[in-house]
Amino acid sequence: LSLHGLLISAYHFVVCVGSEWRQCSSVSPPTTVVLLLFLIFESLLFSIFTAVMFFTQISAIWNDETGIEQLKKEHGNWERKSRWRSVQAVFGRFSLSWLNPFTM
């Protein structure tokens, strides 16, 4: 959603500059610019945060250890799974439904 907000606001900004701000918004051009810049900034912040959290979790799954174990440099007594088996334990068998947030 953050990426979508970023793309829509960038598109709106380009369209408004191309039409010289006429018939672009119901508010004044300076207000529109401020709101678009705020939306772009907010979208970038949330995109970066989400990407960092995603890659942290993928790294934990890939290495078959928790974040606490990574910080303490502890290794469990259990036999570690292969990376692919760790991913399958979390997501299930590979299918295109991995990319669909509405599947169960």
Side-chain angles (χ1 to χ4, degrees):
L1 286 175
S2 297
L3 183 60
H4 179 72
L6 182 65
L7 293 175
I8 292 295
S9 59
Y11 173 77
H12 189 71
F13 189 80
V14 169
V15 168
C16 288
V17 167
S19 67
E20 298 178 7
W21 301 97
R22 282 183 244 123
Q23 301 174 353
C24 189
S25 177
S26 61
V27 295
S28 66
T31 305
T32 304
V33 170
V34 169
L35 291 174
L36 284 173
L37 290 177
F38 177 73
L39 180 60
I40 289 170
F41 179 71
E42 183 182 21
S43 297
L44 281 174
L45 283 179
F46 280 113
S47 296
I48 291 168
F49 172 76
T50 304
V52 168
M53 293 300 291
F54 174 75
F55 287 116
T56 301
Q57 292 303 306
I58 292 298
S59 171
I61 294 167
W62 190 257
N63 295 323
D64 196 22
E65 61 185 11
T66 66
I68 301 296
E69 291 169 344
Q70 288 176 352
L71 289 173
K72 289 185 175 181
K73 307 275 192 248
E74 291 179 353
H75 299 288
N77 299 351
W78 66 91
E79 181 180 332
R80 294 198 182 269
K81 299 176 188 171
S82 70
R83 291 181 173 172
W84 181 245
R85 290 208 184 259
S86 295
V87 170
Q88 281 185 330
V90 174
F91 295 109
R93 289 184 55 99
F94 177 74
S95 71
L96 291 177
S97 66
W98 281 10
L99 304 174
N100 185 354
F102 302 110
T103 59
M104 295 176 94

